[in-house]
């Protein structure tokens, strides 16, 4: 599943990953992402952090919630323009917990790196 | 006996808070101590000419409470610092409003200058319902009371003024802090919105290269690569501008803590190796251990060293070398990054720390903000930074050295300012433990 509020990012990432044979479900904000995680049960989540309404940080927090226990181990690739150490610090300050993502890619990410990262997590 | 009365007065006024209450306590205590029927206080208006009723007790007649009961000439004399004693108010030509005095049953009156002899602030009147007699010593005693009153009032007023100034300053600073917060969140929003379209366009371009490079001729492929590079440069510029604004805006306050120089250097050197190896440049280190702990921002110090390394990498040919040195020097830690690259031309040396200054304005590499960001990081740690080119010992390349004081409690002053008195104590108590006062966090969009 791919969550990003920028339709162009959705388009670019979808083309790259569909070319590799992956099936993509998309969400345009955190609320939709959580809904789709429940309904579509994806094997991997690619998550933008800064989104309107419910942001990516809140999605992370929700995945720690017992209601999402089934999906607590789902690998998450963060794909964002926020720098990694800044995100980590903000999340820790706000929740007192670590983010626990599988990979962190800063935008603009290289397509090869994205494909490689997804492939390594879905082995 | 008289000294004890003074002490009574002192106790009464110290228990009272605020200049207005202190005045009341002073006049009442004096009146009581002298066995007077009532009293009043008139103080000089700011212009020094008008005498205004300030306070009275034990008197019903409004003329006595509010009006002046001395002829002008005598009034002036009291205001010059000479107490006046009227033992028979009804028969004394210096006294006015005689009917009112009679109705109130006043026989004797004492007029005391209120305030220090050189700076009389008003007149205190003590009304007696019987014929009083005061000798020279009594009058001296009354004078000393007037003087004491004046100095107590003076210090109370000074304190009030300082407190109100401090309140104002606190309000101003709270407002500035709010504005700063808004500004920083505005900045990160703008940064995010400026970068997003570039990220999207770059995404499509990379996709185009990936999927259709075969269909494009060599010059088109090169053009697309250039487009990506230019957009990366623009994104770097946006990030640097945000960085500069945050340093300027005091955002870094949140990052101060007790940190180990060795860890900072360890992490920075590791990243320096990565950066330099891409250009086949070797990085060596000369670190004189042990290095002390400092109260600083580890992220910023690492960023600082990396900025310098990345500058060196940019201006050093493949196969060159970079040396990172660190040692303790008196009460500071001195760190330098030296390369054997192309160096800085003498005419540029004076300007290198200026914003947007690039040795080669045509160059598309770098944003011209790296060194000004570095200088700000050093400034916020109360350190020094300098650049030498060519390096004196080798006659080539560039060396940038900076020193950060060991005992520095950087930006604590600002925390004190922002948080007011309580934070002064808090700051001192927190010392170098690096407790975060302001947890404002802004996304690095």
């Amino acid at each position: 599943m791919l969550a990003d509020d920028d339709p162009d990012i959705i388009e670019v990432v979808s083309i790259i990953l569909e070319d590799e044979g992956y099936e993509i479900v998309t969400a345009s904000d955190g609320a939709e992402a959580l809904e789709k995680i429940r309904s579509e049960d994806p094997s991997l989540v690619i998550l933008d952090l800064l989104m309107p309404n419910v942001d990516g940080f809140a999605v992370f927090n929700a995945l720690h919630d017992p209601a999402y226990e089934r999906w607590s181990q789902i690998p998450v690739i963060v794909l964002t323009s926020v720098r990694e150490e800044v995100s980590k610090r903000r999340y820790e300050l706000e929740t007192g917990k670590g983010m626990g993502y599988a990979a962190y890619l800063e935008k603009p990410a290289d397509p090869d790196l994205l494909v490689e990262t997804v492939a390594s997590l879905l082995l | 006996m008289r000294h004890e009365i003074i002490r009574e007065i002192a106790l009464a006024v110290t228990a009272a808070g605020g200049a207005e209450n202190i005045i009341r306590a002073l006049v009442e205590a004096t009146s009581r101590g002298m066995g007077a029927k009532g009293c009043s206080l008139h103080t000089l208006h700011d212009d020094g000419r008008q005498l205004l009723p300030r306070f009275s007790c034990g008197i019903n007649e409004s003329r006595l409470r509010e009006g002046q009961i001395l002829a002008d000439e005598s009034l002036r004399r009291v205001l010059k610092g000479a107490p006046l004693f009227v033992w028979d108010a009804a028969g004394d030509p210096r006294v006015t409003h005689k009917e009112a005095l009679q109705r109130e049953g006043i026989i004797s009156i004492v007029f005391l200058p209120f305030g220090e002899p050189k700076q009389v602030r008003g007149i205190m009147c003590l009304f007696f319902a019987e014929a009083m007699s005061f000798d020279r010593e009594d009058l001296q005693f009354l004078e000393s009371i007037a003087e004491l009153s004046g100095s107590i009032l003076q210090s109370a007023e000074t304190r009030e003024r300082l407190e109100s100034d401090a309140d104002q300053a606190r309000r101003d600073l709270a407002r500035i802090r709010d504005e700063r917060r808004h500004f920083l969140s505005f900045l990160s929003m703008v940064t995010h919105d400026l970068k997003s379209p570039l990220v999207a366009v770059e995404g499509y371009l990379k996709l185009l290269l990936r999927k259709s490079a075969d269909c494009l001729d060599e010059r088109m492929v090169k053009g697309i690569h250039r487009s990506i590079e230019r957009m990366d440069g623009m994104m770097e510029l946006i990030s640097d501008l945000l960085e500069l604004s945050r340093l300027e805006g005091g955002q870094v306050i949140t990052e101060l803590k007790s940190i180990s120089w060795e860890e900072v250097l360890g992490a920075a050197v590791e990243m320096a190796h990565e950066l330099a190896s891409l250009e086949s440049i070797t990085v060596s280190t000369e670190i004189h251990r042990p290095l002390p702990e400092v109260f600083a921002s580890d992220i910023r110090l690492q960023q600082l060293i990396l900025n310098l390394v990345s500058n060196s990498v940019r201006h050093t040919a493949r196969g060159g070398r970079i040396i990172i040195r660190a040692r303790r020097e008196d009460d500071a830690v001195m760190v330098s990054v030296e390369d054997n690259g192309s160096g800085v031309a003498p005419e540029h040396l004076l300007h290198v720390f200026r914003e947007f200054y690039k040795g080669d304005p045509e160059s598309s590499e770098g944003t011209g903000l790296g060194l000004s960001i570095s200088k700000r990081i050093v400034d916020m740690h109360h350190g020094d930074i300098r650049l030498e080119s060519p390096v004196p010992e080798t006659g080539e390349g560039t060396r940038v050295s900076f020193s950060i004081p060991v005992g520095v409690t950087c930006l604590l002053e600002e925390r004190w300012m922002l948080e007011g008195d309580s934070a002064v104590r808090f700051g001192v108590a927190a010392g170098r433990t690096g407790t975060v006062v302001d947890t404002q966090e802004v996304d690095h969009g």
Side-chain angles (χ1 to χ4, degrees), chain B residues 242-268:
Chain B
L242 173 72
E243 194 64 33
L244 207 56
S245 313
R246 300 166 111 195
L247 287 170
E248 208 77 318
Q251 162 79 11
V252 283
I253 284 178
T254 59
E255 298 162 2
L256 301 176
K257 54 186 179 184
S258 191
I259 56 156
S260 139
W261 258 115
E262 312 219 350
E263 278 174 28
V264 168
L265 280 163

Side-chain angles (χ1 to χ4, degrees), chain B residues 145-304:
Chain B
I145 284 181
E147 197 175 328
L148 173 76
S149 315
S151 54
I152 290 172
L153 179 62
Q154 188 95 21
S155 61
E157 282 177 348
T158 307
R159 197 164 53 232
E160 252 176 24
R161 203 178 54 245
L162 288 177
E163 274 167 12
S164 112
D165 287 355
D167 276 351
Q168 184 59 40
R170 262 192 284 274
R171 276 195 299 275
D172 287 350
L173 283 162
R175 184 177 47 78
I176 291 168
R177 187 170 45 171
D178 273 359
E179 280 170 9
R180 193 187 70 180
R181 237 169 229 183
H182 284 135
F183 175 65
L184 288 171
S185 65
F186 165 77
L187 263 185
S188 61
M189 202 181 71
V190 168
T191 311
H192 180 251
D193 290 355
L194 284 175
K195 277 169 133 182
S196 296
L198 298 176
V199 169
V201 174
E202 191 168 322
Y204 282 118
L205 287 177
K206 282 179 171 168
L207 193 59
L208 183 66
L209 279 180
R210 188 182 164 82
K211 287 183 71 106
S212 321
D214 302 343
C215 322
L216 300 166
D217 69 39
E218 201 182 317
R219 284 177 76 179
M220 286 309 297
V221 170
K222 209 175 152 195
I224 294 171
H225 276 296
R226 276 299 290 158
S227 307
I228 292 172
E229 277 169 31
R230 295 298 297 267
M231 266 186 295
D232 283 344
M234 178 119 172
M235 280 188 264
E236 197 186 338
L237 177 62
I238 294 168
S239 298
D240 276 3
L241 278 174
L242 173 72
E243 194 64 33
L244 207 56
S245 313
R246 300 166 111 195
L247 287 170
E248 208 77 318
Q251 162 79 11
V252 283
I253 284 178
T254 59
E255 298 162 2
L256 301 176
K257 54 186 179 184
S258 191
I259 56 156
S260 139
W261 258 115
E262 312 219 350
E263 278 174 28
V264 168
L265 280 163
V269 166
E270 194 180 313
M271 287 188 268
H273 275 296
E274 277 177 38
L275 259 179
S277 64
L278 297 174
E279 301 292 324
S280 311
I281 294 169
T282 57
V283 175
S284 58
T285 57
E286 292 173 18
I287 295 172
H288 297 267
R289 294 186 169 82
L291 291 170
E293 291 213 336
V294 280
F295 188 69
S297 161
D298 51 354
I299 296 177
R300 300 294 157 181
L301 289 179
Q302 277 167 18
Q303 181 192 2
L304 167 59

Side-chain angles (χ1 to χ4, degrees), chain A residues 8 16 19-20 82 90 112, chain B residues 204 207 210-211 443-444:
Chain A
D8 287 313
I16 294 170
D19 275 0
E20 299 296 314
V82 183
R90 168 170 165 182
D112 292 334
Chain B
Y204 282 118
L207 193 59
R210 188 182 164 82
K211 287 183 71 106
D443 300 318
H444 196 293

Side-chain angles (χ1 to χ4, degrees), chain B residues 307-320:
Chain B
N307 272 353
L308 302 181
V309 169
S310 114
N311 271 349
S312 285
V313 168
R314 199 173 295 141
H315 296 111
T316 302
R318 292 184 79 84

Side-chain angles (χ1 to χ4, degrees), chain B residues 34-172:
Chain B
M34 300 294 297
K37 177 184 188 291
C39 58
S40 72
L41 177 73
H42 290 69
T43 49
L44 280 170
H45 190 254
D46 289 341
D47 62 10
R49 290 183 181 179
Q50 238 180 320
L51 209 49
L52 299 174
R54 184 95 176 239
F55 164 70
S56 70
C57 69
I59 301 290
N60 294 317
E61 287 286 332
S62 62
R63 285 189 165 179
L64 302 186
R65 289 204 308 258
E66 286 153 24
Q68 284 164 23
I69 40 177
L70 263 185
D72 286 354
E73 181 60 25
S74 311
L75 200 65
R76 270 196 290 277
R77 219 176 290 158
V78 179
L79 285 173
K80 277 183 180 159
L84 175 67
F85 169 50
V86 174
W87 69 273
D88 173 24
D92 199 309
R94 294 170 294 187
V95 177
T96 59
H97 300 312
K98 288 206 168 62
E99 317 78 50
L101 286 167
Q102 229 158 8
R103 280 197 294 276
E104 192 74 42
I106 303 301
I107 310 248
S108 302
I109 313 172
V110 170
F111 298 94
L112 283 177
F114 187 76
E116 292 171 56
K118 281 185 188 159
Q119 203 198 349
V120 175
R121 310 279 304 273
I123 294 181
M124 190 196 301
C125 306
L126 302 171
F127 301 99
F128 296 89
E130 55 207 296
M132 301 294 289
S133 71
F134 294 108
D135 60 18
R136 205 182 142 81
E137 266 186 45
D138 289 330
L139 284 179
Q140 270 173 0
F141 168 66
L142 291 176
E143 268 182 282
S144 60
I145 284 181
E147 197 175 328
L148 173 76
S149 315
S151 54
I152 290 172
L153 179 62
Q154 188 95 21
S155 61
E157 282 177 348
T158 307
R159 197 164 53 232
E160 252 176 24
R161 203 178 54 245
L162 288 177
E163 274 167 12
S164 112
D165 287 355
D167 276 351
Q168 184 59 40
R170 262 192 284 274
R171 276 195 299 275
D172 287 350

Side-chain angles (χ1 to χ4, degrees), chain B residues 20-41:
Chain B
E20 201 58 42
N21 292 333
I22 285 174
I23 290 174
R24 266 166 199 276
L26 271 171
V27 176
E28 274 175 342
T30 312
S31 168
R32 228 183 6 255
M34 300 294 297
K37 177 184 188 291
C39 58
S40 72
L41 177 73

